[in-house]
Amino acid sequence: MKTVMVWCILFGVLLLGIQAFGEDYKLEYACDPDGPPNLLFPFCNTSMSDEERVMDLISRLNINEKIEQLINTAANVSRLGIPAYQWWGEGLHGVADSPSVHFGGSTPTATSFPLPILSAASFNRHLWNRIGQVTSTEGRAIFNQGRSGISYWSPNINIARDPRWGRTQETLGEDPKVSSVYAVHFVKGLQEGDYDHSRPQDVASENPRRLKISACCKHFTAHDLDAWKDYDRNHFDAKVTQQDLEDSYNPSFKSCVKEGQSSGLMCSYNRLNGIPMCADYELLTLTVRNQWGFEGYITSDCDAVALIHDYIYYAPTPEDAVSYVMLAGMDLNCGSTLLVHSLAALERKLIWEGLIDMHLRNLFSVRMRLGMFDGNPSTLPYGSLGPADICTDANQDLALEAARQSLVLLKNEKKALPWKKMHGLKLAVIGPHANASIEMLGNYEGIPCKYVTPLQGFSTVLSKHSPTIIYQPGCSDATCADSHLIPAAEEAAEQADAVVLMVGLSQAQEKEGRDRISLLLPGHQQALVSAVVEAAAGRPVVLVILSGGPVDVSFANEDPRIQGIVWAGYPGQAGGQAVADAVFGLVNPGGRLPQSWYYENYTNIDMSNMNMRPNASTGYPGRTYRFFTGTPLYEFGYGLSYSDFSYTRFAAPQSLMAPPLRHQLCSSDKAVIKSNLYCLDREKGACKDSSLQVTVSVRNHGPLSGDHSVLLYSKPPSSGVDGAPLKQLVSFERVHLESGAEQEVVFKLNPCEDLGTVGHDGIRTVALGVHTLMVGAVHHSLIIEEWSPGYGVESI
Ligand SMILES: *[C@@H]1O[C@H](CO)[C@@H](O)[C@H](O)[C@H]1NC(C)=O
Ligand SMILES: *[C@@H]1O[C@H](CO)[C@@H](O)[C@H](O)[C@H]1NC(C)=O
Ligand SMILES: *[C@@H]1O[C@H](CO)[C@@H](O)[C@H](O)[C@H]1NC(C)=O
Ligand SMILES: *[C@@H]1O[C@H](CO)[C@@H](O)[C@H](O)[C@H]1NC(C)=O
Ligand SMILES: *[C@@H]1O[C@H](CO)[C@@H](O)[C@H](O)[C@H]1NC(C)=O
């Protein structure tokens, strides 16, 4: 397969090659009104419907040209004036270096936001939407210079089931609800343009189906193992129960498609219960397209088609692999298998031309919606975006704001933080990340507008206070393979009034293709921390951790000499500023962990075990806060503040009525009648959105203003569904409160979705009995009763 990949890259280089080395790119486009009139085909006619135009375009292609459109490096069709198109772009946390994105010329950089695992900690859907908007604005600006495509294979909304997964940094953590809400808001930010209409010429309001950037939710589904012991993602067969698939692995994809209206979806490398994901007709076609109403294109992960024959021999020949994926519903092949083997598959009658046409309709519909056949892009919506819209002050402020909102304060012994003494402070900034720059960008990074490293951040914060700042890396990098720099770090700590230790992970420990074996700090880092704390001899020490996945820092949690611990994820270009601001109280941390942190002994669990639920007979403890029966170091949702918040009022109904039995049709269209369970369908009106209202009042008792995210959980009756979660997040809202202020937060819930639990059959039901709603330590009982005529209470 290596050769396949090399071939594919060579092909890409050929297509883009000549331009890639020059300073100036030319944006090529189809349907040029000033071009040769014989190239203005009906598919260029914007008065016709997209459907008609797509059909016209496809009808003009011969079979070879059709096949050339089925791969990510779609070829040009010069006789029709259609330029080549590279589908593969990335915009995970800002526009990223990727096959379609070529930084340089007048667009050398882009704003780099925190990795999603950190942004997730903000629990702020508006922030996620704004990050999507800025990313798409900068993406369009780069596209207008001819230097990128406008389809991104972002976001990554797999749930991070296991803390060892190397791609945890790309995700929103372990909770399906957080992943779902992020998917919806980030995708809308990428695809739908600016909501504030401040640039009327750039609002595609005339045609809401037009896309600013095409988003792609990946990797569908149950994909969260890259390379662990003898397992790798290409060979891994994820054994997943219907129950786990429905309530853990798939919700974010369903939200992405149904509510987020994503125009792209990616099928993953792994098999699911034996079937390679890109060949799974039941999931790709029956579930995603038919049940969820998906209208976009489905791409394979890169070389995920090749592996079906070449690696796992699931298909007897490459042509069979071609037919499996095309019959299953996959439209685009990242790689070259479809280019190389489709003709032979046609000759063997494993596929037919009409099937290719169906996939081309999905592909060209998205290109049509991106405006690629509407003429000169500079005259179209977003056509005026250019270099002046990239790395603007506002965009860079948003990158800083995102990091500031997301930092998680894990420990604050005797409220030692924030540090108040600034004047004349002798500060030691120590550790492999003390002057981190590119390390702050994690993976899928671009070229940032600039960096503010932690060292620079502290210098800025203290600049007016005549500080002395001492810098010692302590290790040459995060791997920290030897200890020879530790004595100098100890010496720095001895000289200082206060010490910030910047430690953690890097792409050398966790990245795509690299899962962790240990949850501990790498190499000699823990020894460095202990030596520095000893040398500081009682002077204030704060530990800041840069990492995507959780780190077992229980030693520091238990050591009273380490007064503060802050998790800063991979915070993006402005991360060092955010960290310094937090330590000195210029920002009050309000982030909460999007993933549970575990002790090292969690690594005794077999990472290949996909079960979310515990199993008492094997001692398997289950996964994530929803099911884990053990004790985590810090649970999902944990995070401190410099202020104190409390919930002064909690108002919700005491009881709700389940509807009469004749209304019970399940979303999977299977009628279910069980003695104490009701299977409900939100679309059938039996159970509507917002029919359960919960009001929570939050008060800031502390001395400082600050943000607080209210996390609302539900818990089903103990005698409900077998395998019900311990609790599950149903909604969240972030509020800003001045010291002494109070605010009401209103949650509008859908009882079927939010109080429902999924059974072994994969069907969501609402159990009769006492449900519990929870925020913090406040618990509220809500009885769901069987409906009978004459009851005066509200019916769902
Ligand atoms: C474009 O399509 C419209 C609607 O079908 C049609 O009336 C018009 O003549 C077409 N324009 C050209 C230049 O073909
Ligand atoms: C179209 O592609 C062919 C084959 O790769 C190449 O020779 C030709 O120059 C391309 N034409 C344009 C206009 O890019
Ligand atoms: C810190 O990193 C920045 C950016 O890479 C670099 O310019 C600077 O020289 C570094 N400072 C020290 C003291 O090494
Ligand atoms: C793992 O370690 C933690 C902390 O030492 C302990 O509380 C927990 O019981 C251990 N779990 C297992 C399964 O051994
Ligand atoms: C628990 O594990 C045992 C042994 O592997 C298995 O037979 C049983 O089906 C499992 N139970 C559940 C609920 O998964």
Side-chain angles (χ1 to χ4, degrees):
M1 188 148 81
K2 282 239 169 63
T3 52
V4 175
M5 198 62 204
V6 167
W7 199 90
C8 159
I9 290 167
L10 280 179
F11 188 73
V13 169
L14 259 182
L15 285 176
L16 295 160
I18 302 117
Q19 293 188 336
F21 303 102
E23 263 295 277
D24 293 313
Y25 279 52
K26 189 175 169 298
L27 175 56
E28 293 178 35
Y29 48 91
C31 303
D32 184 354
D34 301 320
N38 65 325
L39 291 182
L40 289 176
F41 298 95
F43 65 76
C44 301
N45 184 342
T46 54
S47 304
M48 285 163 49
S49 70
D50 277 9
E51 289 76 13
E52 291 171 301
R53 297 169 67 191
V54 167
M55 296 302 276
D56 176 71
L57 194 164
I58 294 168
S59 73
R60 288 168 197 282
L61 301 174
N62 65 40
I63 189 65
N64 290 316
E65 290 165 340
K66 285 179 180 179
I67 289 170
E68 286 175 349
Q69 297 301 316
L70 296 172
I71 57 169
N72 62 301
T73 47
N76 68 47
V77 192
S78 8
R79 66 185 184 86
L80 301 178
I82 300 174
Y85 185 65
Q86 169 58 279
W87 282 88
W88 181 3
E90 302 282 353
L92 181 74
H93 55 111
V95 183
D97 262 326
S98 42
S100 85
V101 177
H102 306 272
F103 287 107
S106 56
T107 54
T109 58
T111 308
S112 178
F113 295 96
L115 272 283
I117 191 70
L118 185 65
S119 296
S122 71
F123 286 87
N124 184 345
R125 68 196 76 204
H126 309 292
L127 177 71
W128 302 335
N129 181 257
R130 283 162 66 206
I131 292 173
Q133 285 186 35
V134 169
T135 300
S136 61
T137 295
E138 297 193 348
R140 272 283 175 170
I142 298 173
F143 167 77
N144 288 341
Q145 312 308 307
R147 287 186 166 269
S148 84
I150 33 179
S151 47
Y152 289 167
W153 291 348
S154 311
N156 178 346
I157 55 168
N158 291 116
I159 62 155
R161 157 194 64 106
D162 189 300
R164 290 165 282 188
W165 189 31
R167 303 186 73 175
T168 293
Q169 56 190 303
E170 297 172 37
T171 73
L172 301 314
E174 72 190 30
D175 183 62
K177 188 71 173 190
V178 174
S179 305
S180 295
V181 174
Y182 182 94
V184 170
H185 287 81
F186 182 77
V187 165
K188 281 177 174 288
L190 277 187
Q191 293 195 159
E192 292 181 10
D194 303 340
Y195 290 139
D196 63 7
H197 292 221
S198 62
R199 300 177 64 102
Q201 77 275 24
D202 291 335
V203 177
S205 52
E206 287 159 37
N207 186 346
R209 281 181 55 78
R210 281 288 176 271
L211 297 166
K212 188 176 175 191
I213 294 275
S214 166
C216 173
C217 286
K218 67 189 185 187
H219 315 77
F220 187 68
T221 185
H223 181 70
D224 60 355
L225 182 154
D226 264 52
W228 178 79
K229 296 195 175 170
D230 292 337
Y231 294 91
D232 70 77
R233 63 188 188 179
N234 293 318
H235 292 88
F236 184 51
D237 183 5
K239 301 284 189 213
V240 178
T241 65
Q242 284 306 305
Q243 194 174 27
D244 287 341
L245 194 63
E246 178 65 25
D247 84 349
S248 295
Y249 294 107
N250 279 357
S252 54
F253 290 98
K254 185 175 178 181
S255 299
C256 172
V257 165
K258 290 186 79 165
E259 210 185 323
Q261 295 280 301
S262 177
S263 54
L265 184 87
M266 180 184 285
C267 48
S268 53
Y269 291 110
N270 56 290
R271 273 171 284 182
L272 180 73
N273 300 327
I275 303 174
M277 274 312 307
C278 294
D280 195 324
Y281 173 76
E282 194 174 320
L283 279 168
L284 299 189
T285 293
L286 296 186
T287 302
V288 173
R289 253 187 219 284
N290 297 358
Q291 214 179 313
W292 299 348
F294 181 63
E295 288 185 349
Y297 75 102
I298 299 178
T299 181
S300 74
D301 206 334
C302 296
D303 278 349
V305 180
L307 73 81
I308 294 174
H309 168 263
D310 300 358
Y311 267 31
I312 63 173
Y313 311 110
Y314 179 85
T317 67
E319 300 89 72
D320 288 295
V322 165
S323 81
Y324 291 175
V325 296
M326 291 188 77
L327 289 167
M330 191 205 81
D331 303 301
L332 188 74
N333 174 198
C334 179
S336 58
T337 308
L338 259 52
L339 177 71
V340 178
H341 299 287
S342 286
L343 212 49
L346 274 169
E347 276 159 15
R348 287 179 54 193
K349 300 203 164 25
L350 298 169
I351 56 169
W352 58 98
E353 191 165 353
L355 182 63
I356 294 179
D357 289 351
M358 184 191 89
H359 294 299
L360 293 178
R361 280 201 295 279
N362 293 331
L363 292 167
F364 280 110
S365 296
V366 171
R367 286 176 70 174
M368 204 60 83
R369 293 177 64 193
L370 284 162
M372 288 186 191
F373 303 97
D374 292 353
N376 186 341
S378 68
T379 65
L380 299 174
Y382 316 116
S384 66
L385 295 172
D389 299 286
I390 298 173
C391 292
T392 61
D393 289 348
N395 294 359
Q396 295 199 57
D397 286 350
L398 186 63
L400 174 59
E401 175 67 16
R404 286 167 57 119
Q405 284 200 18
S406 305
L407 299 176
V408 182
L409 181 63
L410 295 172
K411 177 182 179 182
N412 194 6
E413 189 94 2
K414 301 201 182 85
K415 302 205 166 171
L417 286 174
W419 286 342
K420 288 162 202 81
K421 180 179 158 54
M422 295 168 97
H423 194 74
L425 186 70
K426 254 184 156 175
L427 179 70
V429 187
I430 297 173
H433 286 320
N435 196 31
S437 52
I438 194 164
E439 296 82 359
M440 298 192 296
L441 305 193
N443 66 353
Y444 286 94
E445 77 283 15
I447 301 177
C449 319
K450 66 172 188 211
Y451 293 108
V452 184
T453 75
L455 193 57
Q456 292 163 344
F458 283 106
S459 304
T460 305
V461 167
L462 294 172
S463 61
K464 295 199 189 78
H465 303 278
S466 334
T468 308
I469 297 178
I470 313 164
Y471 161 61
Q472 276 299 329
C475 313
S476 43
D477 54 32
T479 306
C480 203
D482 66 63
S483 56
H484 75 278
L485 294 173
I486 292 180
E490 290 173 295
E491 210 170 294
E494 279 162 14
Q495 290 165 15
D497 302 328
V499 178
V500 178
L501 270 159
M502 300 285 317
V503 301
L505 310 179
S506 73
Q507 303 304 297
Q509 284 79 47
E510 51 171 0
K511 71 168 188 180
E512 185 165 0
R514 183 173 293 157
D515 300 331
R516 280 183 295 163
I517 294 295
S518 167
L519 298 181
L520 298 172
L521 284 171
H524 293 272
Q525 284 198 47
Q526 189 166 324
L528 168 70
V529 172
S530 299
V532 166
V533 168
E534 194 66 38
R539 279 160 297 182
V541 177
V542 57
L543 185 70
V544 179
I545 301 151
L546 295 196
S547 72
V551 187
D552 177 357
V553 288
S554 49
F555 78 98
N557 194 46
E558 285 152 18
D559 188 338
R561 299 169 301 171
I562 298 176
Q563 300 173 334
I565 305 179
V566 175
W567 176 64
Y570 292 121
Q573 63 172 54
Q577 190 64 59
V579 166
D581 288 352
V583 169
F584 285 98
L586 276 60
V587 64
N588 185 352
R592 304 181 69 163
L593 289 179
Q595 188 179 23
S596 301
W597 285 36
Y598 302 96
Y599 294 98
E600 175 70 353
N601 60 13
Y602 191 92
T603 58
N604 297 333
I605 300 173
D606 178 356
M607 188 173 170
S608 72
N609 189 331
M610 297 296 286
N611 288 323
M612 299 299 293
R613 272 93 180 155
N615 186 330
S617 71
T618 60
Y620 179 71
R623 294 184 182 274
T624 79
Y625 79 92
R626 290 161 66 232
F627 302 102
F628 184 58
T629 49
T631 310
L633 170 56
Y634 304 116
E635 196 185 85
F636 170 89
Y638 178 77
L640 306 171
S641 165
Y642 296 153
S643 256
D644 298 307
F645 297 92
S646 70
Y647 304 114
T648 49
R649 195 170 85 89
F650 189 102
Q654 309 276 317
S655 65
L656 291 174
M657 290 285 126
L661 274 175
R662 65 176 181 278
H663 287 160
Q664 271 110 64
L665 266 183
C666 296
S667 52
S668 53
D669 289 332
K670 288 182 211 153
V672 170
I673 299 170
K674 293 180 183 170
S675 57
N676 66 336
L677 297 170
Y678 284 95
C679 180
L680 303 167
D681 181 355
R682 61 189 296 177
E683 278 99 35
K684 293 272 158 37
C687 194
K688 291 194 212 71
D689 275 337
S690 355
S691 51
L692 172 58
Q693 188 166 312
V694 176
T695 308
V696 181
S697 295
V698 201
R699 189 174 166 78
N700 181 353
H701 297 278
L704 297 171
S705 67
D707 287 10
H708 177 76
S709 290
V710 184
L711 307 189
L712 177 66
Y713 294 90
S714 76
K715 189 175 129 173
S718 44
S719 60
V721 174
D722 189 19
L726 301 163
K727 61 177 180 179
Q728 60 192 358
L729 185 70
V730 295
S731 196
F732 53 88
E733 195 67 52
R734 185 180 177 107
V735 293
H736 177 79
L737 290 171
E738 299 302 321
S739 170
E742 182 165 323
Q743 189 177 324
E744 205 168 71
V745 179
V746 179
F747 295 101
K748 295 185 172 172
L749 308 178
N750 177 314
C752 301
E753 291 288 319
D754 297 325
L755 302 183
T757 37
V758 174
H760 293 299
D761 48 11
I763 292 173
R764 189 176 294 272
T765 57
V766 179
L768 296 180
V770 182
H771 292 249
T772 311
L773 295 168
M774 298 172 279
V775 283
V778 181
H779 288 215
H780 173 96
S781 296
L782 170 66
I783 302 167
I784 302 212
E785 298 171 281
E786 198 159 2
W787 182 87
S788 70
Y791 278 4
V793 282
E794 216 179 325
S795 164
I796 55 175

